[in-house]
Amino acid sequence: MNLKELASSLGLSQTTVSRALNGYPEVNPETRARVEAAARAANYQPNSRARRLATGRAMTIGHVITHTGETEMVNPIFADFLAGAGEVYAREGYDLLLSIVHEGAAERAYRQMAANGSVDGVMVQGPRQEDPRIALLQELGLPFLVHGRTGDARGYNWLDIANLRAFRRATEFLLDLGHSRIALINGQEAMDFAARRRRGYEEALRARSITPDESLMYADVMTEGYGHRAAAQLLDRENRPTAFLVSSVISAIGVRQAAWERGLQLGRDVSIITHDDVLSYLNNDAEGPAFTATRSSIRLAGRRCAEILIERIKQPDAPFVHELWEAELMVGRSTGPAP
Amino acid sequence: MNLKELASSLGLSQTTVSRALNGYPEVNPETRARVEAAARAANYQPNSRARRLATGRAMTIGHVITHTGETEMVNPIFADFLAGAGEVYAREGYDLLLSIVHEGAAERAYRQMAANGSVDGVMVQGPRQEDPRIALLQELGLPFLVHGRTGDARGYNWLDIANLRAFRRATEFLLDLGHSRIALINGQEAMDFAARRRRGYEEALRARSITPDESLMYADVMTEGYGHRAAAQLLDRENRPTAFLVSSVISAIGVRQAAWERGLQLGRDVSIITHDDVLSYLNNDAEGPAFTATRSSIRLAGRRCAEILIERIKQPDAPFVHELWEAELMVGRSTGPAP
DNA sequence: GGTTACCTTCAAAGCGCTTTCAAATTTCTC
DNA sequence: GAGAAATTTGAAAGCGCTTTGAAGGTAACC
């Protein structure tokens, strides 16, 4: 059933039927009711391909997700971020176009989206320091929103969490407990968020006149195995750290495992604070084993990012939106006074 | 730059330019070369909205992902499955349309995709027993492929792993090691894969004249916390199980944690076998703490599922494809003789 | 040389909608 | 009750491509 058939079955023109269904005001209420009833009865749905061509809008938002080079790892936080964003898209009538490519192919993916008009805007996640995607999208003139930020962040829309403050605060918390040898198990420091977290950690140490020790800092893709390896190395040193600051619950699980294997008890022999993205399948709440954590829901972030992006697509000339969220420090059972 | 402009700048008709770019044979080789050069120079990309309308093909595949009711949990295996499928889609020129909805809204999402023609086919994941989506898609006449299977599986395309055999095999492995009180920490048994795994487990027990004990079987959404809770309960009984068969590495991490907390060592005091989807961020390999596992890569499955679905979209009348993959049993360090 | 076949190109229709512009009808206004 | 204004509907153009059907130009054949 298409518009033409529906219109002729009603004895009306396509124009009127189209207007009735799209809520235009200049339609007689009775006519509209009649049209709506017929459309429902026939289960009529306007053909989205035709509509998109006619309106010039794709009603689609692009997400380009890259997997990291060698390991081909897909960052698991994307699932929850997408769930949050997807909720909003569905509500607002937008489709979500997902492109999963190798890191090197991302530029081509964005260029293609811009040139062939398959999306109205794109979401950028996990920016690196001086990420080339931002300049590219500015050049292409495609509306976009960055989850995270980098460089001179005034010239585009972003939503970020206060990574530096969160990790400074977490480090201070450990210092207050008497820890002084605190290891940092960070994400790849080419990523902007990881660089900020490291700065927060170092600032807190310096403020207490502790010189940051490079040998206590690790940076890599945040898998469980990485957390385990890094912690194992650190814990087997003669002068081992008494506390760990970790960038992801997944890696923190590896760190915890390494501690257990050495007979060390969390919160007594060794302390862990992790950043917690509140992933739905790794809920770090009262029920399970609760890490002390800086916490900010990636899913809520996804939801809000989608809202902002859609607003910006509708009003391309509005001023840039910058939203900085604080992470809360949740004290769990993985921290305690330095031994 | 659109086709009309490109054509007139070349002094050719739209017809010829379109044909030259789409590889039709009736174009003079010199003309084609000229057109291709000009298109490249102008960075011309055909407008996908127009092309889709004209061809009647969406060049898009839909994935509807549901989050489970109350917990709103998004199954983390989707990220890796999507990565595998996305790779193939990109190669074949298909877009991936992702719809993330509450479980109850899935039917509407499929109906909409079928009615408005935004996709050429859909991927169905995680079928429940007698899943209504299958009948729905058959009725809608939309090509689809099921990852997993259920009910009378002859009438549609599917790719599945041999869940029953894998869990029977794993149970036999534990029985051979002398375990007899083996707990099953399963996924929700409304899911077809979980029901099959349970049958495999029970068959293996019965074959050794052990009556399956309901009190040793748990079934729920496979989070870490669930694994931890279930194992904690079981290990605190007077007559505790000596081995665990777990449906997901994520839950197995919770089980392991519960064991550690009670001073029990894996492979000595308690054994764990888990199913391992080979998620990229939870790699259960030699480096990290390796569980004994039935193993099958969800990412490879995604890749193959995409290939099959695209084949079927291109040839709608070909016979149904049924592909059953064996999971391999990888012996790790989490299993040992019964104490 | 005339007919046929082939190669190459093009004009125009069509995909199924939205939207502009105009027309028909009804309601107001004095 | 005539003219103006408001309300409601429709014809047709257009979105940017693909594809059909026709035609111009060459080569091939007898």
Side-chain angles (χ1 to χ4, degrees):
Chain A
M1 170 68 79
N2 61 23
L3 183 64
K4 195 170 167 185
E5 290 159 13
L6 181 63
S8 81
S9 82
L10 280 160
L12 289 169
S13 71
Q14 294 188 40
T15 312
T16 303
V17 175
S18 171
R19 284 205 275 240
L21 293 174
N22 289 309
Y24 281 70
E26 65 269 39
V27 176
N28 185 318
E30 286 165 35
T31 310
R32 189 192 304 275
R34 212 157 59 85
V35 170
E36 281 172 347
R40 212 169 312 114
N43 193 26
Y44 169 75
Q45 290 273 82
N47 181 298
S48 72
R49 296 191 295 266
R51 171 182 270 205
R52 283 166 190 187
L53 178 58
T55 59
R57 275 171 288 130
M59 292 307 285
T60 301
I61 289 170
H63 284 226
V64 177
I65 289 182
T66 55
H67 31 88
T68 318
E70 321 87 58
T71 59
E72 299 223 332
M73 145 132 179
V74 182
N75 194 325
I77 73 164
F78 289 140
D80 272 71
F81 186 91
L82 285 174
E87 216 173 286
V88 175
Y89 295 154
R91 196 177 68 210
E92 300 284 330
Y94 280 80
D95 280 343
L96 164 51
L97 173 60
L98 186 62
S99 185
I100 304 182
V101 297
H102 281 280
E103 199 146 39
E107 176 173 339
R108 224 177 66 87
Y110 284 116
R111 281 193 185 279
Q112 195 157 316
M113 284 182 179
N116 74 23
S118 50
V119 302
D120 300 316
V122 297
M123 189 75 80
V124 175
Q125 291 172 81
R128 316 184 135 248
Q129 294 187 289
E130 303 306 329
D131 196 302
R133 292 178 292 174
I134 291 168
L136 173 66
L137 289 166
Q138 284 171 327
E139 174 202 328
L140 293 173
L142 201 58
F144 67 100
L145 177 122
V146 181
H147 179 222
R149 75 198 131 129
T150 184
D152 176 7
R154 282 169 302 181
Y156 56 89
N157 303 292
W158 53 261
L159 181 153
D160 198 4
I161 58 175
N163 282 298
L164 189 149
R165 275 208 287 279
F167 266 45
R168 189 171 57 202
R169 174 96 176 71
T171 309
E172 285 165 357
F173 183 84
L174 290 169
L175 290 165
D176 289 342
L177 285 168
H179 297 276
S180 57
R181 284 192 311 286
I182 303 172
L184 175 67
I185 312 297
N186 206 358
Q188 295 179 291
E189 288 178 357
M191 306 291 283
D192 186 86
F193 80 89
R196 284 179 203 271
R197 288 179 185 178
R198 173 169 174 165
R199 266 186 276 146
Y201 159 82
E202 292 184 344
E203 275 185 17
L205 292 178
R206 289 216 177 83
R208 305 275 176 107
S209 308
I210 298 176
T211 308
D213 177 354
E214 286 278 349
S215 76
L216 291 177
M217 301 185 218
Y218 284 69
D220 205 343
V221 180
M222 298 180 291
T223 62
E224 188 208 2
Y226 155 60
H228 183 260
R229 271 192 309 280
Q233 284 179 20
L234 285 161
L235 290 172
D236 288 343
R237 289 194 196 166
E238 70 253 53
N239 202 13
R240 71 170 176 234
T242 60
F244 289 81
L245 191 50
V246 190
S247 251
S248 145
V249 172
I250 294 172
S251 298
I253 287 171
V255 172
R256 177 180 72 190
Q257 174 70 7
W260 279 116
E261 285 166 1
R262 284 158 185 76
L264 302 171
Q265 196 183 315
L266 259 51
R268 192 190 64 191
D269 308 314
V270 63
S271 288
I272 299 180
I273 299 186
T274 181
H275 182 73
D276 179 9
D277 293 304
V278 197
L279 304 183
S280 51
Y281 49 95
L282 284 176
N283 57 326
N284 177 37
D285 59 16
E287 297 237 49
F291 288 109
T292 296
T294 59
R295 190 174 181 195
S296 182
S297 164
I298 201 81
R299 184 173 191 141
L300 290 181
R303 205 178 287 170
R304 182 71 189 126
C305 282
E307 287 171 358
I308 297 174
L309 181 52
I310 289 175
E311 276 169 29
R312 296 292 315 205
I313 287 169
K314 290 182 179 164
Q315 303 204 349
D317 299 321
F320 292 120
V321 175
H322 301 146
E323 226 172 279
L324 188 62
W325 289 14
E326 293 298 328
E328 53 175 342
L329 182 67
M330 299 269 297
V331 179
R333 283 175 270 112
S334 66
T335 44
Chain B
M1 171 67 78
N2 61 23
L3 183 63
K4 195 170 167 187
E5 290 160 11
L6 181 63
S8 81
S9 83
L10 280 160
L12 289 168
S13 70
Q14 293 189 40
T15 311
T16 304
V17 175
S18 171
R19 283 193 182 132
L21 294 174
N22 289 310
Y24 282 69
E26 65 269 39
V27 176
N28 186 317
E30 286 166 35
T31 310
R32 189 192 303 276
R34 213 158 58 86
V35 171
E36 281 171 347
R40 213 170 311 116
N43 193 27
Y44 169 75
Q45 290 273 83
N47 181 297
S48 71
R49 296 190 297 264
R51 171 182 271 205
R52 283 165 191 188
L53 178 58
T55 59
R57 275 172 288 130
M59 290 308 285
T60 300
I61 289 170
H63 284 227
V64 177
I65 289 182
T66 55
H67 31 86
T68 318
E70 321 88 58
T71 58
E72 299 225 329
M73 146 134 180
V74 181
N75 194 326
I77 72 165
F78 288 141
D80 271 72
F81 186 91
L82 284 173
E87 216 173 286
V88 175
Y89 295 154
R91 195 177 69 208
E92 301 284 331
Y94 280 80
D95 279 343
L96 164 53
L97 173 60
L98 186 62
S99 184
I100 305 182
V101 297
H102 281 279
E103 200 146 39
E107 176 172 341
R108 225 177 65 88
Y110 284 117
R111 281 193 184 281
Q112 194 157 317
M113 284 183 178
N116 75 23
S118 51
V119 302
D120 299 316
V122 297
M123 188 76 81
V124 175
Q125 290 173 81
R128 314 183 138 250
Q129 294 187 289
E130 303 306 330
D131 196 303
R133 291 177 293 175
I134 291 169
L136 173 66
L137 289 166
Q138 284 172 327
E139 174 203 328
L140 293 173
L142 200 59
F144 67 99
L145 177 120
V146 181
H147 178 221
R149 76 200 129 128
T150 184
D152 177 6
R154 281 170 302 182
Y156 55 88
N157 303 292
W158 53 261
L159 182 153
D160 198 3
I161 59 174
N163 282 299
L164 189 150
R165 275 208 287 280
F167 266 45
R168 188 170 58 201
R169 175 95 176 71
T171 307
E172 284 165 359
F173 182 83
L174 289 169
L175 290 165
D176 289 343
L177 284 169
H179 297 275
S180 57
R181 282 193 311 288
I182 304 172
L184 175 67
I185 311 296
N186 206 358
Q188 294 179 291
E189 289 178 357
M191 307 290 284
D192 187 86
F193 80 88
R196 284 180 203 272
R197 287 179 186 178
R198 174 171 173 161
R199 267 187 275 147
Y201 159 83
E202 291 184 345
E203 275 186 17
L205 292 178
R206 289 215 178 83
R208 305 275 175 106
S209 310
I210 299 176
T211 308
D213 177 354
E214 286 279 348
S215 77
L216 290 176
M217 301 185 217
Y218 284 69
D220 205 343
V221 180
M222 298 180 292
T223 62
E224 187 208 4
Y226 155 60
H228 183 261
R229 270 193 309 279
Q233 283 179 19
L234 285 161
L235 291 173
D236 288 342
R237 289 193 196 167
E238 68 254 55
N239 202 14
R240 69 169 179 235
T242 60
F244 289 82
L245 191 50
V246 189
S247 251
S248 144
V249 173
I250 293 173
S251 298
I253 287 172
V255 173
R256 178 180 72 190
Q257 175 69 8
W260 278 116
E261 285 166 1
R262 284 156 186 77
L264 302 171
Q265 196 183 314
L266 258 51
R268 191 190 65 191
D269 308 313
V270 62
S271 288
I272 298 180
I273 300 186
T274 181
H275 183 73
D276 179 8
D277 294 304
V278 198
L279 303 184
S280 53
Y281 49 96
L282 284 176
N283 56 327
N284 177 36
D285 61 16
E287 295 237 51
F291 288 108
T292 296
T294 59
R295 191 176 181 192
S296 182
S297 163
I298 200 81
R299 185 175 190 137
L300 290 181
R303 204 179 288 171
R304 182 71 188 126
C305 283
E307 286 172 0
I308 297 173
L309 181 53
I310 289 175
E311 276 170 28
R312 295 291 317 204
I313 287 170
K314 290 184 179 162
Q315 302 205 350
D317 299 323
F320 293 120
V321 175
H322 301 148
E323 226 172 278
L324 188 62
W325 288 13
E326 293 298 328
E328 52 175 341
L329 183 67
M330 298 269 297
V331 179
R333 284 175 270 113
S334 66
T335 43

